[in-house]
Amino acid sequence: MKITIIHGQSHHGSTCHIARSLAQKLHGTITEIFLPRDFGEFCTGCTACFHVSETKCPHYKQLSPITKALDDADIIILASPVYVYHATGAMKSFLDHYGWRWMVHRPEEKMFSKQAVCISTAAGAGMKSTNQDMAHSMFFWGIAKTYSYGAAVMETSWEKVSPRKKRAIEKKLSVLAQKIKNDQKQIAPSVKTKILFHVMRIMVKHGWNKADQDYWKAKGWTAKKRPWNA
């Protein structure tokens, strides 16, 4: 099993520790990306990725090794501490660069057989909205199954988190890891994902931008082929 963790910050705090712990419980090969250390560019809004090709993005070369890590992974973990009730700016900027991969444009077929986990921590609240920031992209990428886990650690550093709370977190992570491993044996997109794909297929088939139309036709998706049957 291959696991890619995208950390929404470059320091090794509570969110980092929890994401790493989950990955270790999955017993796979782990690749870690730290934002903004490994990628910190802002989307320029040029729309070249939509209308021409993702290769025309001014940050394409910098992003390519991360894209490969995402494509190669069986499990994608997005981890962000809560910043004013939302994901970090670095995480948001990173996800902005993959607008072209949303199902409305050119989704990667490998995503339809992957699982993802959105992890967030806070000294107080905001985990739900932070996880939703990340989970939206996972759904629109076509990820088959996405889990969310939020922890109110009640501290600003992992070292200060109480042993009791750490034990509770580890227990929940063990349960989550087992669910992921069980699901991996028979992973398939949800009905909701298949419905969205069908709607997007109709839209592309009856008129969309040429880059997207050409992509869907080349994949055979405007005919009878589907990415989850690839």
Side-chain angles (χ1 to χ4, degrees), residues 147-164:
Y147 289 96
S148 291
Y149 176 68
V153 295
M154 310 308 293
E155 289 290 352
T156 55
S157 69
W158 181 247
E159 290 73 21
K160 294 180 181 179
V161 176
S162 71
R164 182 179 178 182

Side-chain angles (χ1 to χ4, degrees), residues 77-91:
I77 298 175
L78 301 183
S80 174
V82 175
Y83 281 15
V84 292
Y85 261 54
H86 291 284
T88 64
M91 178 63 78

Side-chain angles (χ1 to χ4, degrees), residues 68-141:
K68 185 178 185 305
L70 292 170
D71 289 348
D72 290 346
D74 299 299
I75 311 294
I76 295 171
I77 298 175
L78 301 183
S80 174
V82 175
Y83 281 15
V84 292
Y85 261 54
H86 291 284
T88 64
M91 178 63 78
K92 177 62 168 64
S93 182
F94 170 75
L95 293 174
D96 285 347
H97 281 80
Y98 288 101
W100 58 275
R101 275 208 166 180
W102 276 40
M103 225 179 296
V104 68
H105 293 291
R106 300 187 300 282
E108 167 55 50
E109 59 195 288
K110 293 178 182 177
M111 296 296 156
F112 292 84
S113 61
K114 297 183 188 298
Q115 295 188 83
V117 186
C118 298
I119 293 174
S120 63
T121 68
M127 292 82 70
K128 183 177 180 180
S129 52
T130 296
N131 282 334
Q132 284 179 339
D133 286 344
M134 301 180 285
H136 283 150
S137 283
M138 297 298 93
F139 174 68
F140 285 101
W141 285 7

Side-chain angles (χ1 to χ4, degrees), residues 197 201 205 216-217 219-226:
F197 181 90
R201 174 180 171 273
K205 197 171 181 180
W216 280 66
K217 287 179 181 178
K219 293 288 186 181
W221 296 343
T222 52
K224 295 183 177 181
K225 191 174 181 181
R226 299 293 179 265

